Amino acid sequence: MSPAGARGLVALLLLFAVATARGLPLAPSEVQVLVGERTSLPADDDPSWQPAQAPDARVTPVAWYRVAFDAPASAVDQGWMLYLPYLYGGGQLWLNAQPVTVVLESRADLRVRWERPLLLPLPQAALRPGRNVLHLRAVSAGEPGIVFFPALKVGSQAELQGAFDRRFFVVRTLPQVTLVAGVVVGLLVVSIWWRRRQEVQYGLFGLAAILWALRTTTFIFDLLPAPLWPLWRMLYYASTGGFIAAMALFTASLTGRFDRRLAWALAGYVLLGPLLYGLGGERGDALVGRWWVLGLVPVGVSVAVFSFTAAWRERTPGNALIAATVALATLAGVHDYLLASGSTALASRLPEWSGDRIFLLHHAANLMLLVMGLLLSARFVHSLQAVEHANETLEARVAEREREIATSYERIAALQREQAVQDERQRMVQDLHDGLGSQLFSSLMRAERGALDSAAAAVTLRGAIDEMRVAIEALTPDDRDFRTAFGNFRFRWDQRLRDAGLEPSWRVDLPDAPLVLSPDLALQVLRVVQEALTNVLKHARATEVQVGLSHRAGELELDVIDNGAGPAAATQGGRGLANMRTRAARLGGRLQVEFGRPGARVVLAVPLRAT
Amino acid sequence: MSTRVLIVEDEPEFLRRFSEAVTADPALHLLAAVSTGRAGRALLEAEPVDVMLVDLGLPDMDGTELIRHAVQRHPGCDCLVVTMFADDAHVMAALEAGATGYLLKDATNERITGAVHEVRAGGSPISPSIARRVLARFRSSPAAASTPPAAAVVATSAVPSPLSQRETEILQSIAKGFSFETVGEVLGISQHTVVAHVKNIYRKLAVHSRGEAVYEASQMGLL
């Protein structure tokens, strides 16, 4: 990492951290260090004292620092304080050889790692105007056995409180927020994945969020019972590696390059770290902390390279955002690694910044989670819209199909109606041809050879007119209700029979509902009745005639009863009877003729289903 | 006093036939038998006429026009339309013009004079399908549901009250195919009263149709 890049990163990411590094009230005028185990405060003339800088880092379990500063006369009255940005392993503090305070160190039954900054009041009695000397015992927090000595500051509370609060917010409050938010969001997203297993991204993102929340506990618990320490350390490694791996897979998945083998390989590497630590103990810790963590860096870098390529190939805002965030997180990861391993490369180039020891990956990861969450919710909304669109399309297609079906049904129905009309017309033409036509033609022939006198011609023509009338009666009713047609028929014949001196009576026994018959059937039925009545008029010499119409059990029954000559009339009306039988047969019905003394009874029964 | 009859028929055969039938009846007086609508109208103006027999297909005008004229100018004159097949369309047109009965062209002499006497006595026949059409005609009347300004116009032109309950019942029964006899029995009135009702209905139909024409004309802004 270039110094310029590091500076850019600093400027971009953590403006608040800058505030902690400037405007400090009073820096030490002189710093000395004594490396080595001493149970009590080393003497000032101990030859092991060497000059040093603040901040400082030493590979040793314990180091003593002697710090001189000049206090103004007002300092004693103001009540000065000492600000320590960090003191990871704890230790002890003296002012002018008087003990000030003890910060807990790790013991056999307790592990400490103080992430929080310390703001300690300096006792008024010990502080004096002019030169003062502070002695600080600093202990390594364990792995990798390095003592970190901060750039401590002394001053009034008013001058120091702000810096302390800012650092406290960054190293303590923010992680607490991250822990809660990460667990809540992670569980929500994982529950989505639980119901929709094919959406791997949700699973990976939720896993990453939860792992990150677990990792964040590192910054929250300052004190831990010793037996839990290894477990917690393993959890730390597993969650750190797991988070990076999950994010890598998530990025791959977002850009459509998710690979199951890659997932297994990464999962294997992630589990390797905690496993090594668990097997190797303290030695394993050093190994894992230095080398296993280093192995995670190429994972992050390759993800960055990969997402940059994707963003380059397909320039969508989403891809660009992923690439930028991943790059940022990778840089932060490298920075943290250098910082944690006490690398001189960073310390020599950015002494002030590295002395503050602000770990960045933590915040970069928060940003990354935020960006990924945004992208995921955008995808979620997009897929909802896609579903809505698909539904609309589907509905439109269904409606279209319904219209098509309705149209073709209409067409079929129209064709069927047309066919029915054709059939009906055909039957009627045939009927006109056979009935009225042949009647008129035979009369014409007879008239032409002089065999038709005027009386016979009148009979023939009246017959023809009757034919036409009955046809009009059968075809006229708009409603096709046979009751109307029969009523019109009756209306005409009643008058005619009365005019001929007969006493007609009509008996109609039909249900109230309209009786719909095809025009052809109606015509044939009326013709049979007309023929029967004509016979009565012409031959029967009757005085009364009874016409009955009834409908029951699917049959239409018509009867004509007269009180005339009976069988004697039948011989003359033979032709008419034959006609009536033919018509009845055509309708699938039957005609019965009974003769009494006197009178005759003609019964026509027609099944209505047969038409 | 004998019934004065005017015959307007363009076919000579039928004209002769009807004339013979009328002259053969001592109770009837044949005023004239003419073959054009114009002549018929001139006669109506010149002489009082009791019954006019009119063919619909006249050479110089539509028979319905002559009927309308007669009904409007000479309310005492009964018009009988002469039709070949008594088909609904022709009969309805004549009834709406104001005819109160109809005759078939091939009717016997007795039927012809019988119809004239019947209509003078205040009765008219009606077939089921005509009854149905008349009912429909009254039902689809827009005048009954007209808006106030239009109603004012219609009211001045003497739009009829709708059919009475009894008249509607009669029409409904006949439309169902019941004979006059049965209708009379069911309603507890004589057959004679039934035909008298029918003639009344015809009158209302004519007035109603005219009222409707006025209504429609006012709607179109012609009045």
Side-chain angles (χ1 to χ4, degrees), chain A residues 264-424:
Chain A
W264 283 116
L266 281 176
Y269 185 76
V270 165
L271 289 176
L272 189 65
L275 204 67
L276 279 177
Y277 174 82
L279 292 174
E282 286 297 314
R283 274 187 55 223
D285 197 9
L287 186 69
V288 170
R290 183 170 287 275
W291 299 112
W292 176 80
V293 171
L294 193 63
L296 291 175
V297 174
V299 176
V301 171
S302 67
V303 168
V305 169
F306 172 74
S307 47
F308 266 115
T309 336
W312 184 258
R313 280 187 197 143
E314 199 184 333
R315 292 176 198 192
T316 62
N319 277 353
L321 205 56
I322 291 172
T325 319
V326 167
L328 220 54
T330 310
L331 290 179
V334 172
H335 165 270
D336 284 7
Y337 173 76
L338 293 176
L339 208 58
S341 64
S343 157
T344 49
L346 192 65
S348 61
R349 284 176 175 82
L350 291 167
E352 202 177 333
W353 168 257
S354 67
D356 263 335
R357 295 184 60 79
I358 300 282
F359 289 89
L360 295 180
L361 179 59
H362 190 75
H363 307 291
N366 282 345
L367 185 68
M368 201 150 121
L369 285 174
L370 184 68
V371 166
M372 301 299 176
L374 285 177
L375 288 178
L376 212 55
S377 58
R379 278 173 89 96
F380 187 70
V381 168
H382 179 76
S383 63
L384 278 185
Q385 283 166 342
V387 166
E388 275 169 15
H389 180 69
N391 274 347
E392 277 165 19
T393 313
L394 198 63
E395 274 169 18
R397 280 170 59 187
V398 166
E400 170 112 350
R401 191 87 191 94
E402 275 174 359
R403 275 198 299 280
E404 278 171 18
I405 290 171
T407 312
S408 62
Y409 265 119
E410 259 167 41
R411 211 164 35 229
I412 290 168
L415 283 174
Q416 281 173 342
R417 277 198 300 276
E418 205 170 294
Q419 187 59 45
V421 169
Q422 289 279 2
D423 291 351
E424 196 73 31

Side-chain angles (χ1 to χ4, degrees), chain A residues 36 134 160 289 333 402 429 556:
Chain A
L134 273 172
L160 294 172
E402 275 174 359
V429 168
L556 191 67

Side-chain angles (χ1 to χ4, degrees), chain B residues 108-174:
Chain B
T108 57
N109 286 2
E110 293 77 33
R111 187 86 293 276
I112 292 167
T113 55
V116 172
H117 288 306
E118 212 169 70
V119 78
R120 277 317 277 173
S124 283
I126 187 167
S127 74
S129 57
I130 293 294
R132 190 182 293 270
R133 284 192 179 230
V134 171
L135 273 174
R137 202 75 184 76
F138 279 110
R139 253 200 306 275
S140 66
S141 157
S146 57
T147 51
V153 175
V154 172
T156 55
S157 55
V159 156
S161 55
L163 293 177
S164 72
Q165 181 72 26
R166 174 52 49 90
E167 286 163 347
T168 309
E169 278 169 8
I170 288 172
L171 281 177
Q172 281 168 346
S173 305
I174 291 170

